[in-house]
Amino acid sequence: MEYLQIHIVISEELYTKNPESSELGKKIVSRSIEMIDELGFEAFTFKKLGKSIGSNESSIYRYFESKHMLLVYLLCWYWSWIEYKLVFATTNIQSKEEKLSAAVDILTRKVDVDNSFSYIDEVILNRIIIAESSKAYHTKDIDTENEKGYYTVYKRVVQRVSNMVTELNPDFEFPHMLVSTVIEGAHQQRYFSEHLPSLTNVKKGKDTIVKFYTDLVFKVIK
Amino acid sequence: MEYLQIHIVISEELYTKNPESSELGKKIVSRSIEMIDELGFEAFTFKKLGKSIGSNESSIYRYFESKHMLLVYLLCWYWSWIEYKLVFATTNIQSKEEKLSAAVDILTRKVDVDNSFSYIDEVILNRIIIAESSKAYHTKDIDTENEKGYYTVYKRVVQRVSNMVTELNPDFEFPHMLVSTVIEGAHQQRYFSEHLPSLTNVKKGKDTIVKFYTDLVFKVIK
DNA sequence: CAAATATAATAGTAATACTATCAAAAACTA
DNA sequence: TAGTTTTTGATAGTATTACTATTATATTTG
């Protein structure tokens, strides 16, 4: 991808102190990504993170209210990044079909190159999204948090791709359902292919998941 | 549904002492379903459950190794019940289309009548599956647990419906992906419709979700 | 009625998810 | 450069969780 001097801005609601404002903050974010991937979200703690980065548990709490809020921050970062990639990859495409196809590709493809967005490893972050993101919104606080706008970026991504669907077929009644089914489905299929392979038909080498969901989208909206 | 003297049998691996073997065991299961629904899985504890049923925390541990294992038990019970409904609703249907259609209906429809399977409220259990089931298999132990057969019933349900897909179109390459996408997608859409409605296009009154996934299945396998 | 089994009560442990306080260090500022 | 503010670190402490272990008391069964 083209190298650009761009910067992902995260809503102030998601942190107590902006982790981008200091070296420690960035270290917290980048190491937390690695540790959540290694340990899983449940076994990951601020104490372990502090120890690992040579800092103190209490210092981490100055950036993030809780490990749940850190996870929400990471999701928001991820979806902002996807939104950027999505807009970048689809503007100036004339053909509506090609445009939607490019969008579905971005939503379903595995991230396997770290575009080195500063201190965040997008390959590992993608794995976290696949394995842990459902834990962020499957809580009893979902409604309050949704009102506070924690999931705005994700919803905007769904809206953008839904618009592409509607452009192609204005009569299609369920664009949001289709798009969120594809996004969440692709993540689940990636998880299943590694851990519960009999729930999938993933073939080695090829990216079956991208193919499956691309076909699905075009067949469903016809 | 027809009243039958049937009984759902759960693999011995999933409990320490069979909860069906005593009144206390059944109370543990039925009250845990209500409490997980009320409190959410995170806030639910064996201590609270014990207090609520007038029993002791330590007694509950004699039935289930951990609250995680109790959740796995509930999932297994749910999928066994769905499998029973599935087989019941699809045998003797001649038309392959109708058969698949009936299956998709069972997988995607909201459970809104408690068939009073003894001490288990299927309506509440269905809500738990929608809101909490992903927490059961999104853990670091998934591979070990899968080897132990904890998810066999779920996989068998997917297999059964995949077979119906294959009967209709033997050339379709991704029956398992399609079926697991539909099952998980329908659950997510129900959750979204309540908590993140802008990710869906659910209309009041009608069961949009059943319609959406039924259409999707037949379009995709064509 | 005795023996076996199930349950309850109590205590205890290590870890978690924080909060509070205070001192030390670093950064910025007059 | 000294002084002030801000940031970080160290330590301690709390309530709760997710258990385990032990012993006493019911309850069931033969």
Side-chain angles (χ1 to χ4, degrees):
Chain A
M1 200 186 286
E2 194 103 20
Y3 182 81
L4 287 172
Q5 206 65 40
I6 85 129
H7 188 225
I8 280 165
V9 181
I10 304 295
S11 159
E12 288 184 22
E13 309 251 288
L14 301 184
Y15 49 77
T16 314
K17 181 186 159 111
N18 191 346
E20 294 217 285
S21 69
S22 73
E23 281 312 304
L24 179 63
K26 286 177 207 165
K27 230 177 182 176
I28 288 171
V29 172
S30 66
R31 192 79 251 273
S32 73
I33 294 172
E34 292 162 12
M35 288 186 82
I36 292 171
D37 181 53
E38 283 161 31
L39 306 173
F41 188 65
E42 283 72 29
F44 165 78
T45 69
F46 279 3
K47 193 163 201 172
K48 288 175 190 169
L49 174 60
K51 201 175 173 188
S52 167
I53 60 175
S55 179
N56 200 273
E57 199 189 355
S58 59
S59 305
I60 299 164
Y61 276 102
R62 259 176 234 114
Y63 288 87
F64 295 101
E65 199 182 305
S66 62
K67 74 172 182 170
H68 173 253
M69 284 310 296
L70 170 58
L71 181 61
V72 173
Y73 178 91
L74 295 178
L75 296 202
C76 183
W77 198 98
Y78 180 82
W79 289 110
S80 303
W81 176 64
I82 291 285
E83 187 181 34
Y84 156 72
K85 291 213 297 178
L86 190 69
V87 173
F88 196 88
T90 56
T91 35
N92 303 324
I93 297 185
Q94 294 306 312
S95 152
K96 291 171 183 173
E97 281 86 2
E98 271 182 53
K99 198 172 193 160
L100 180 58
S101 182
V104 172
D105 193 283
I106 283 173
L107 297 180
T108 57
R109 190 171 294 284
K110 186 175 181 178
V111 176
D112 51 13
V113 180
D114 177 15
N115 296 107
S116 281
F117 231 103
S118 59
Y119 53 95
I120 289 179
D121 186 320
E122 292 94 14
V123 177
I124 307 179
L125 184 54
N126 178 242
R127 286 205 298 267
I128 291 180
I129 299 300
I130 290 169
E132 317 287 357
S133 70
S134 68
K135 292 167 193 168
Y137 51 80
H138 282 106
T139 54
K140 280 283 162 187
D141 296 327
I142 176 70
D143 298 331
T144 326
E145 296 194 350
N146 184 34
E147 272 174 44
K148 288 190 196 151
Y150 291 6
Y151 302 102
T152 309
V153 184
Y154 180 54
K155 293 191 281 189
R156 210 165 54 215
V157 167
V158 171
Q159 185 59 57
R160 281 181 189 278
V161 185
S162 296
N163 291 345
M164 296 179 199
V165 168
T166 307
E167 270 192 50
L168 254 169
N169 179 357
D171 298 324
F172 183 66
E173 287 183 282
F174 315 113
H176 297 85
M177 286 181 81
L178 178 62
V179 174
S180 60
T181 296
V182 167
I183 293 175
E184 299 286 335
H187 290 163
Q188 293 212 24
Q189 292 297 322
R190 271 197 205 287
Y191 188 81
F192 291 160
S193 74
E194 270 196 49
H195 303 291
L196 297 158
S198 63
L199 302 179
T200 72
N201 306 86
V202 170
K203 275 142 202 142
K204 276 201 176 168
K206 304 173 200 175
D207 204 332
T208 323
I209 293 171
V210 176
K211 186 172 181 290
F212 174 78
Y213 285 105
T214 306
D215 289 0
L216 181 146
V217 165
F218 285 96
K219 279 177 177 170
V220 167
I221 65 177
K222 225 165 242 165
Chain B
M1 198 185 288
E2 193 102 24
Y3 182 81
L4 287 174
Q5 206 65 39
I6 86 129
H7 187 228
I8 279 164
V9 182
I10 304 295
S11 158
E12 289 184 21
E13 309 249 290
L14 301 184
Y15 50 76
T16 314
K17 179 185 160 116
N18 191 347
E20 296 218 285
S21 69
S22 73
E23 280 314 303
L24 178 63
K26 285 177 208 166
K27 231 177 181 175
I28 288 170
V29 172
S30 67
R31 191 79 250 272
S32 74
I33 292 172
E34 292 163 13
M35 289 188 81
I36 292 171
D37 182 52
E38 284 161 30
L39 305 173
F41 188 66
E42 283 72 29
F44 165 79
T45 69
F46 279 3
K47 193 163 201 170
K48 289 175 190 169
L49 174 60
K51 201 175 174 186
S52 167
I53 59 176
S55 177
N56 200 272
E57 200 189 354
S58 60
S59 304
I60 299 164
Y61 276 102
R62 252 176 244 111
Y63 288 87
F64 295 101
E65 199 182 303
S66 62
K67 72 171 182 171
H68 173 253
M69 285 311 295
L70 170 58
L71 181 61
V72 174
Y73 178 92
L74 295 178
L75 295 202
C76 184
W77 197 99
Y78 180 81
W79 288 111
S80 302
W81 176 64
I82 290 285
E83 187 181 34
Y84 155 72
K85 291 214 297 177
L86 190 70
V87 172
F88 197 87
T90 56
T91 34
N92 302 324
I93 297 185
Q94 294 306 312
S95 151
K96 290 171 185 174
E97 281 85 2
E98 271 182 52
K99 196 172 196 162
L100 180 57
S101 184
V104 171
D105 193 284
I106 282 173
L107 297 180
T108 58
R109 190 171 296 283
K110 187 175 181 176
V111 176
D112 51 13
V113 180
D114 178 16
N115 295 106
S116 281
F117 230 103
S118 61
Y119 54 95
I120 289 180
D121 186 321
E122 291 94 12
V123 178
I124 308 180
L125 184 55
N126 178 244
R127 286 206 297 267
I128 291 180
I129 299 301
I130 289 169
E132 316 287 357
S133 70
S134 68
K135 292 167 193 168
Y137 52 80
H138 281 107
T139 55
K140 281 284 164 187
D141 295 328
I142 175 68
D143 298 330
T144 326
E145 296 194 351
N146 184 34
E147 271 172 47
K148 286 188 197 151
Y150 291 5
Y151 303 102
T152 309
V153 184
Y154 180 54
K155 294 191 281 188
R156 208 165 56 213
V157 167
V158 171
Q159 185 60 57
R160 281 181 190 279
V161 185
S162 296
N163 290 345
M164 297 179 198
V165 168
T166 305
E167 270 191 50
L168 253 168
N169 180 357
D171 297 325
F172 183 65
E173 286 182 284
F174 315 114
H176 297 85
M177 287 180 81
L178 179 61
V179 174
S180 59
T181 296
V182 167
I183 293 175
E184 299 286 335
H187 289 163
Q188 293 212 24
Q189 293 297 321
R190 275 201 200 284
Y191 188 82
F192 291 161
S193 73
E194 271 196 50
H195 303 290
L196 297 158
S198 64
L199 301 179
T200 71
N201 305 86
V202 170
K203 275 143 203 144
K204 275 197 178 172
K206 305 173 199 173
D207 204 332
T208 322
I209 293 172
V210 175
K211 187 172 179 289
F212 173 79
Y213 285 105
T214 306
D215 288 0
L216 182 146
V217 165
F218 285 96
K219 280 178 177 169
V220 167
I221 65 174
K222 227 164 240 165

